[in-house]
Amino acid sequence: MRILVNIDVPDLEHAIGFYQSAFGLTLNRRLSSTGAELLGADAPIYLLEKAAGTPTGGPAAGGAVRQRRDYARHWTPVHLDVVVDDVDQAVARAVAAGARLEDPPITHDWGRIAHLADPYGHGICILQFLGRGYDELGPASLRFTPAAEADFEALLALRIEAMRDSLERLGRFDPDRARERLRGTFRPECTWHIEADGERVGFYCLRPDGDGLRLDHLYVHPSAQGRGVGGQVLRRILQDADRRGVGVTLSALRGSDSNRFYRRHGFVPTGEGEWDIDYVRDYVPVDLHDDPRPAQAG
């Protein structure tokens, strides 16, 4: 399958000049007095001269009112993304050619993007990928390695950073208390580092507890949050619990976002303390032939 990009414009000659100057496209051929093919992008771009006020599309179905072309700034569900090596230079070039800058370049995990409009009211995004590009938005490739007693200080620092916002919001941020709480439940033989693309981004502690499992800790560094890391880890833990036919219990800080996270994954509250809410998630029978990877507790 091939994709062709068609752009309605009110003045063909003006549009050819704009898209050549703004994005370095070249005029390949004229299709008629009202159409032109531009090359230089991954897909050919066809500029089609259509007068403002003319009706769009074919005959309206079901008595619907046909829209008329309007080249003032308008929103459409489909727009152009122009990928460049340097977003700042590309924005300057497009603006010099006649584009209107609506939002200056901002930086995301995946890259930088600016929002513009061409002289005919069409929205255009100019973006520059950084690092892994859109792969930064997808699930990270995770690896789990066992922790050791010597890792305590590093894990404590990670836990503090992961919980800092929630604790400060509740007025309970206290590094000494954080050390005390982690030390009281730290069991290196049940603790696993979470690594994403070779970098340690979190850890969890899952230990046997009566007839089930207890998730004492699950923390993801703020720099890796929002990438689905916590969800992947928790699904791994729950799949293993289901395979064993046991439930999982945990406690979450009252008022923290972690409560919504655990509820989304099937945990239900069983009790509340002064600072924490207790949860349980009973096992869900699964087909043992699925053979999920063990989460390594007990």
Side-chain angles (χ1 to χ4, degrees):
M1 181 177 70
R2 297 179 61 210
I3 298 293
L4 307 180
V5 179
N6 293 274
I7 303 175
D8 288 0
V9 297
D11 184 323
L12 180 62
E13 298 306 318
H14 187 276
I16 291 173
F18 169 76
Y19 278 94
Q20 286 180 319
S21 298
F23 303 114
L25 302 177
T26 59
L27 175 63
N28 185 55
R29 56 177 172 165
R30 294 179 179 272
L31 304 179
S32 66
S33 61
T34 58
E37 178 186 67
L38 302 183
L39 300 181
D42 289 342
I45 293 177
Y46 295 90
L47 301 178
L48 307 175
E49 185 174 297
K50 307 280 186 177
T54 55
T56 61
V65 177
R66 294 173 63 185
Q67 291 183 320
R68 294 184 177 276
R69 289 178 176 82
D70 180 359
Y71 293 108
R73 184 67 174 99
H74 54 271
W75 176 87
T76 61
V78 179
H79 65 268
L80 290 181
D81 278 357
V82 180
V83 181
V84 299
D85 293 329
D86 188 316
V87 69
D88 297 296
Q89 289 184 7
V91 166
R93 176 175 180 172
V95 169
R100 183 172 70 253
L101 179 63
E102 299 183 334
D103 294 301
I106 59 174
T107 302
H108 299 275
D109 288 340
W110 52 266
R112 305 185 67 217
I113 185 170
H115 301 98
L116 305 92
D118 72 5
Y120 325 110
H122 306 311
I124 298 175
C125 294
I126 297 180
L127 56 104
Q128 171 188 352
F129 288 124
L130 300 174
R132 300 188 303 134
Y134 282 151
D135 286 344
E136 296 286 353
L137 301 178
S141 177
L142 301 183
R143 180 170 175 260
F144 305 93
T145 57
E149 177 64 38
D151 295 320
F152 178 81
E153 293 296 333
L155 297 183
L156 173 62
L158 194 154
R159 179 186 187 275
I160 289 175
E161 287 305 308
M163 295 196 66
R164 180 186 295 271
D165 285 347
S166 294
L167 291 171
E168 288 182 340
R169 190 166 61 244
L170 297 173
R172 292 197 70 233
F173 179 69
D174 184 338
D176 292 333
R177 183 186 293 122
R179 174 182 292 276
E180 179 182 338
R181 293 195 65 168
L182 181 60
R183 173 51 71 188
T185 55
F186 184 56
R187 294 183 56 179
E189 69 275 13
C190 299
T191 303
W192 294 80
H193 298 295
I194 305 168
E195 297 180 357
D197 303 318
E199 178 183 357
R200 181 189 298 168
V201 297
F203 73 95
Y204 71 90
C205 178
L206 183 70
R207 61 178 173 84
D209 184 34
D211 295 331
L213 299 171
R214 176 76 179 177
L215 183 60
D216 280 327
H217 305 287
L218 171 54
Y219 301 111
V220 177
H221 193 276
S223 64
Q225 292 174 8
R227 294 166 50 188
V229 173
Q232 282 192 70
V233 175
L234 193 55
R235 285 191 295 271
R236 164 190 169 95
I237 291 170
L238 297 180
Q239 286 174 358
D240 183 66
D242 291 343
R243 181 179 63 84
R244 301 183 188 198
V246 300
V248 178
T249 61
L250 57 84
S251 297
L253 179 68
R254 182 195 297 273
S256 75
D257 294 338
S258 62
N259 290 277
R260 292 195 301 271
F261 171 74
Y262 289 123
R263 289 172 188 256
R264 284 201 310 269
H265 286 83
F267 284 85
V268 295
T270 59
E272 298 187 16
E274 182 180 6
W275 299 107
D276 296 324
I277 300 176
D278 299 322
Y279 289 93
V280 66
R281 191 267 196 184
D282 292 327
Y283 86 92
V284 177
V286 296
D287 183 352
L288 295 184
H289 293 290
D290 288 345
D291 190 28
R293 297 171 296 174
Q296 302 295 330

